[in-house]
Amino acid sequence: MSRRGFKHGMRVTLAVAMLCSAVAVFGLPGLAGAKDTAKTDNASKDQAAKDYAWQEFHYPERGFVVSFPGVEEKPKAESTPVPGQNPLLQHEYKVKTGKDTVYCVVVFEYPEGRAPNPPKKDYFEKVVTAYAKGSDTKLRRKTPLSIDERPGFEAKAEDERGKLNHLITMVANGDRIYMLISAGPKKHATSVDALHFRDSFRLLGGPPPETTKKPDKG
């Protein structure tokens, strides 16, 4: 397979893998059914979530730092090869608080030099679209963004009744693609906790993406 063909195949596989990850991480459709959530006082749940202490954890082997709520012991990775694309690996770090809120970092680790660098906007869109399909949600907002001078993307999603909210943030760095996911009751995507989780994420080293701008010859 040509280098170009390999990259295209990896992109498709990444989207499919993320779809599977959405189901595995959130235990869909059982994360928080609409019936259960409808009976919940969302304001009380929001306040309860804020009462969880946040702890910062460093993962130098995966190149990032992030804070999780409600745990003191460092969450360990669930690492699995992506079917049909070995040695592409998927590493998941996740924490569940209460009955219906989940925080997760997914790291897709490409073979050296084979990650899309820098990935284009439609790359991220394809992945979050696959995620929405896998989690049975609809995307409400999609926004390109930059994290530590690296290309990134953010999207919000919710179920049909607007009872479950997901905040999905992606960033590329070298041979890794990072995906931060938090999901919870209504308005979770704009909650203090969702933003705290997102903003706690930091990259540890690694080169910024190559620029396509040619230097002036003078």
Side-chain angles (χ1 to χ4, degrees):
M1 180 183 289
S2 69
R3 182 181 179 86
R4 182 177 180 183
F6 181 86
K7 283 189 176 182
H8 175 74
M10 295 291 269
R11 293 183 183 187
V12 173
T13 301
L14 176 58
V16 174
M18 195 60 244
L19 187 156
C20 297
S21 177
V23 175
V25 171
F26 298 110
L28 295 169
L31 170 64
K35 291 182 180 179
D36 294 333
T37 308
K39 299 176 182 178
T40 298
D41 182 341
N42 288 321
S44 297
K45 276 188 169 289
D46 249 7
Q47 185 58 50
K50 292 182 178 66
D51 291 339
Y52 286 105
W54 289 81
Q55 180 74 29
E56 183 176 272
F57 298 100
H58 290 236
Y59 294 94
E61 71 281 7
R62 300 282 174 256
F64 74 95
V65 174
V66 73
S67 292
F68 284 111
V71 291
E72 294 184 1
E73 186 175 345
K74 186 176 182 180
K76 296 181 179 179
E78 294 181 12
S79 302
T80 55
V82 177
Q85 293 293 348
N86 189 40
L88 176 62
L89 297 176
Q90 173 181 315
H91 311 283
E92 294 183 4
Y93 306 81
K94 57 182 178 287
V95 167
K96 184 176 181 181
T97 60
K99 295 182 179 180
D100 52 11
T101 303
V102 176
Y103 300 88
C104 179
V105 177
V106 180
V107 184
F108 290 98
E109 199 155 25
Y110 282 82
E112 184 177 356
R114 294 186 178 181
N117 186 25
K120 296 180 180 179
K121 178 182 176 181
D122 64 347
Y123 171 90
F124 291 123
E125 288 187 344
K126 288 178 181 177
V127 177
V128 297
T129 297
Y131 173 85
K133 183 177 180 180
S135 58
D136 196 23
T137 58
K138 292 185 178 180
L139 296 174
R140 298 304 186 195
R141 184 180 179 184
K142 297 178 289 183
T143 309
L145 78 165
S146 176
I147 298 177
D148 290 348
E149 299 182 52
R150 276 73 169 177
F153 197 80
E154 188 163 274
K156 294 181 177 67
E158 64 182 18
D159 67 344
E160 288 186 0
R161 298 185 181 183
K163 300 297 184 180
L164 291 177
N165 264 206
H166 301 241
L167 179 63
I168 310 113
T169 305
M170 299 188 67
V171 63
N173 189 34
D175 295 314
R176 296 178 177 130
I177 303 292
Y178 298 89
M179 193 169 193
L180 282 77
I181 306 160
S182 64
K186 188 176 182 179
K187 298 183 179 180
H188 170 83
T190 56
S191 69
V192 170
D193 295 295
L195 299 181
H196 186 140
F197 177 64
R198 181 198 66 188
D199 295 342
S200 73
F201 179 85
R202 304 196 311 274
L203 294 169
L204 294 174
E210 297 178 5
T211 177
T212 56
K213 183 179 180 180
K214 296 181 179 179
D216 296 331
K217 294 184 178 180

